[in-house]
């Protein structure tokens, strides 16, 4: 392996570790589990998501997603709304603002990375993005 590829692998590992560490710290400060944090972030990205889609995204059972949502509804983090056209269907929304403290901690690392990227040369990032996509596709094809 070349020095350049080793440096890239090290940098990617540092990025992943830093993101993981930031999320662990956020989860600890908010008192949420890893699964709860993933659910909160998913619902934030997809307001009104149906429990069945959340279940698929989180790879849990129907009972597991029901228990998870019940727990977060009870804590005031989520709310359920009945579908106006089909009363058998629920949609799940956040009751907290992921852009405000303390919940912004769940996405703070990503926010800071985005801010840092905006301060850099766009040409370098296009090249890196292309490289990362190609390498990711090759690795996925071999799994």
């Amino acid at each position: 392996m070349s020095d350049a590829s080793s440096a890239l692998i090290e940098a990617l590992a540092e990025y992943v570790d830093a993101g993981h560490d930031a999320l662990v710290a956020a989860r600890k400060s908010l008192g949420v589990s890893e699964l709860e944090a993933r659910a909160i972030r998913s619902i934030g990205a997809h307001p009104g998501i149906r429990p069945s889609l959340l279940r698929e995204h989180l790879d849990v059972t129907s009972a597991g997603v029901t228990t998870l949502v019940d727990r977060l509804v009870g804590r005031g983090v989520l709310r359920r709304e009945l579908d106006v056209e089909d009363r058998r269907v629920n949609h799940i929304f956040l009751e907290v603002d992921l852009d405000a403290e303390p919940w912004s901690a769940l996405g703070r690392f990503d926010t800071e990375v985005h801010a840092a990227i905006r301060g850099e040369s766009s040409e370098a990032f296009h090249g890196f993005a292309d490289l990362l996509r190609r390498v990711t596709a090759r690795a996925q094809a071999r799994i």
Side-chain angles (χ1 to χ4, degrees), residues 102-116:
W103 296 96
S104 60
L106 287 174
R108 187 165 295 124
F109 180 77
D110 294 337
T111 300
E112 294 302 326
V113 167
H114 291 174

Side-chain angles (χ1 to χ4, degrees), residues 113 116-130 133:
V113 167
I117 287 172
R118 282 191 299 273
E120 296 289 333
S121 162
S122 64
E123 290 176 17
F125 286 111
H126 286 295
F128 176 68
D130 289 341
R133 284 187 188 103

Side-chain angles (χ1 to χ4, degrees), residues 12-26:
L12 288 171
E14 289 171 14
Y15 171 79
V16 169
D17 289 346
H20 178 264
D21 292 348
L23 192 53
V24 167

Side-chain angles (χ1 to χ4, degrees), residues 57-87:
H57 178 74
L58 298 175
D59 194 27
V60 297
T61 64
S62 294
V65 82
T66 298
T67 300
L68 172 72
V69 170
D70 285 347
R71 188 169 50 245
L72 292 173
V73 166
R75 289 185 56 198
V77 176
L78 303 179
R79 77 176 185 280
R80 285 188 186 95
E81 289 185 13
L82 289 174
D83 189 295
V84 294
E85 295 177 15
D86 185 348
R87 309 269 309 157

Side-chain angles (χ1 to χ4, degrees), residues 12 131-143:
L12 288 171
L131 171 66
L132 191 54
R133 284 187 188 103
R134 287 192 313 272
V135 169
T136 300
R138 281 189 216 142
Q140 285 178 320
R142 294 176 179 247
I143 295 177

